[in-house]
Amino acid sequence: MFSERLTGEASLHRELEALSVSQRLVRSVSQKLRKKNLRGEGEEEDDSRGVSLKCLTLYGMGGGCKVGAETSEEFGDPSGRRRSCSASEEGKGYKPVCGNEETGLHMFLPDDILELCLVRLPLTSLMNARLVCKKWRYLTTTPRFLQMRREGTYLKPWLFLFGSVKDGYCSGDIYALDVSQDQWHRLDSDILKGRFMFSVASIQDDIYVVGGCSSLTHFGRVDRSSFRTHKGVWVFSPVTKSWRKTASMRNARSMPVLGISEVHSDCTVVHSHQHRQERRFPRSRVGGISDVYEDPHRLSLRRQYRKAFDEYEPSLLPNRKSHRFIRQKNDHSNTKHCKRFVLIAVGGLGSWDEPLDSGEIYDPASNKWTEIQRLPMDFGVVCSGVIFSWCEGEGQIGQRNKAVRKLWELDLMYLTWTEVSVHPDAPMDWNAAFVADKNLIFGVEMFKIFGQVLDFLTVCDVSNTGTNWSHLARNHMTHELDASSCMTKSLAVLHL
Amino acid sequence: MSSSAENPTLTTEITKPSTEIATETAQSAKKINLKTSDDQIFEVEESVAMEFATVKSFFEDAPSSTDTVPLPNVPAKPFSQVIEFCKEQIKFKANPDETEKKKSNSEFVKEKTNEDLVEMIPVANYLEIKDLLDVLNQAVADRIQNRSVEYVRSFFGIDNDFTSEEEALLREEHAWAFEDVDED
């Protein structure tokens, strides 16, 4: 608007200067003039105003009838008209006239339009809006509204840091970083009290907390000598801060590798174990991944979030229909009203701390876990990083594996790995957690130094050609945590 | 009231040249008359009027119909601002420059009062000007973002219809989200 005013004035200046009108007058009239240009000269047709037009055009000195008519309205008309003319010129200066609208303003916005506004609020402000009045609370909690919010570009990433240990106890506290606002929030949760070594994965608005251990003899402590490994799976919904329990896994697991796959809503995962095939892994990955870390065993149990299945599915299971749908994500998300996801848990440690080579799939629709084929014998060293896929150009699927320090890219066409990016920081945390989210990879490293546990959050955008890591969150949230949090921590990303 | 009665003589004295200028431009491009709910008639260049999907379809349905299009749901004041926005947008149509467009859009909303914004939204919606609707909705969302519940209520002039117990309970539930609200 400002620029238009400028250009408008500039041209007026020129023309009016030619007529030797003083600059001061030009300024005072230019806005009127602009209005006039917008408004047009149609007033003559308006019968209802005929009288005032005629008498006031006298001001116009002959040729000026039209603008004269325009200005005259402001004097000759009832207040409603005057407001509409003048307030638009000088928006802020008209409180008295506008004041009476202030109270009825919400009546002015129909619900469907109000929704369009509220849907753009970031989560915290939205929760605020739910306290405004009952109608707003209703409007902002309908499934339709929530779906609109999901489908728009209004969701912002939130990082959820699990597994904090404080004063020797697994406090269950969850630290949430609102990335766009750079703000930490702490959520307490009784359910996670005493649990450690669980894995987390996010599906839409929910975080699945899978498996884990709790101490048998020292409740709440991180106890590796006598503990129980859980089959249980909890679902945490940060938006409502609520928990619900879902079906338990078939096997107890601690730190299983979790993956999320999007599926057709009519797809079933039941037959996914039927196809057994020789797996042809791109074995080169093994050497590439663990070049910093000595302990391949532990690496093998590290998390692999989001589409864990993608890694082996395309290369080794070409005719496995039940998972092929991942490819057609974009085609189908439009036709299906709600997306469906399945959760895949692979490996981890069993009840006796033995490494597991089994895997299972959870389908939220049937609330059931189904076993899938075991990992091949040489699977021991995979899954150190984060795998995710995205579409490129003509539907070619790329995949990238985030090695702990180096970012490797797996080209599915040729099944080769290339190094994409190197994390700039010196590795301080052997147990760094990474999670992939669309084109972003988030990482957290925690370590104890000078008596404080520090957390460093970094993010890498792999959609750019120059993939660089940058730091998130200026404040450390974990000062008061115990050093063992570094080991038990896990990370999930939600778009809220 | 007083502010609208600004120097009648002064204004009218120099209307003559300005009218001529306006008439000249009026001849150069096709104009469309749009009549607002409060019976004001705006003469708008065709290119601008075609930004309004509602008006556009009106002409598509009946190409050679009346020369004045009634807009029964559109009051003059927000409409004039909407026109202002669309004129600006047209420049970017010929010469797309996303950063400049963003800048211009944010300038546009920056100068508007809360009331202006809220008044323009139904107009933009009725006229189906998607760009403007996006800009306005985002602007309103930005203005109530990170503000206290009380501020949002007064912004929209909404009365709190929760009982104090209900509100306390809801606040408790969402407590983690309410840190660090901006000053009202």
Side-chain angles (χ1 to χ4, degrees), chain B:
Chain B
M1 298 229 169
S2 58
S3 36
S4 61
E6 46 184 43
N7 277 335
T9 39
L10 184 127
T11 323
T12 41
E13 265 171 8
I14 49 166
T15 45
K16 188 178 169 191
S18 60
T19 317
E20 282 168 7
I21 295 161
T23 338
E24 268 167 32
T25 47
Q27 283 158 356
S28 59
K30 196 190 166 196
K31 303 269 182 163
I32 288 173
N33 289 330
L34 302 170
K35 187 166 146 193
T36 58
S37 61
D38 38 3
D39 287 333
Q40 290 215 43
I41 294 184
F42 286 72
E43 194 189 61
V44 177
E45 281 177 29
E46 191 183 18
S47 59
V48 175
M50 287 307 123
E51 289 289 291
F52 313 148
T54 311
V55 176
K56 196 176 178 191
S57 61
F58 179 91
F59 277 99
E60 280 164 0
D61 293 346
S64 59
S65 60
T66 51
D67 41 351
T68 302
V69 183
L71 300 173
N73 295 338
V74 179
K77 178 195 157 198
F79 186 50
S80 65
Q81 297 179 334
V82 166
I83 294 175
E84 183 191 325
F85 176 87
C86 288
K87 282 190 147 181
E88 204 52 32
Q89 289 295 298
I90 286 177
K91 294 180 192 160
F92 293 109
K93 252 191 180 164
N95 181 18
D97 181 343
E98 279 305 313
T99 38
E100 277 299 309
K101 190 170 166 181
K102 275 218 175 83
K103 208 170 122 194
S104 146
N105 288 349
S106 69
E107 287 285 346
F108 177 79
V109 293
K110 211 166 79 187
E111 296 182 9
K112 300 284 178 282
T113 61
N114 295 342
E115 192 208 16
D116 284 338
L117 292 177
V118 175
E119 279 186 348
M120 268 190 285
I121 289 177
V123 175
N125 184 55
Y126 173 74
L127 295 172
E128 295 175 46
I129 314 165
K130 200 184 163 302
D131 282 353
L132 177 60
L133 197 57
D134 282 347
V135 168
L136 292 173
N137 282 330
Q138 190 61 53
V140 171
D142 288 345
R143 289 193 187 187
I144 59 173
Q145 182 177 323
N146 292 337
R147 297 306 195 111
S148 68
V149 179
E150 291 74 22
Y151 178 88
V152 179
R153 279 185 195 134
S154 73
F155 186 106
F156 285 91
I158 294 176
D159 293 326
N160 178 15
D161 56 359
F162 288 114
T163 65
S164 49
E165 293 83 19
E166 281 173 331
E167 188 173 342
L169 199 69
L170 293 171
R171 274 182 192 267
E172 178 64 24
E173 232 172 73
H174 296 335
W176 64 274
F178 295 129
E179 305 145 14
D180 296 332
V181 185
D182 289 357
E183 291 291 313
D184 287 350

Side-chain angles (χ1 to χ4, degrees), chain A residues 354-370:
Chain A
E354 82 285 11
L356 299 173
D357 62 356
S358 63
E360 43 195 312
I361 290 188
Y362 173 71
D363 183 352
S366 61
N367 194 25
K368 271 196 183 124
W369 287 88
T370 312

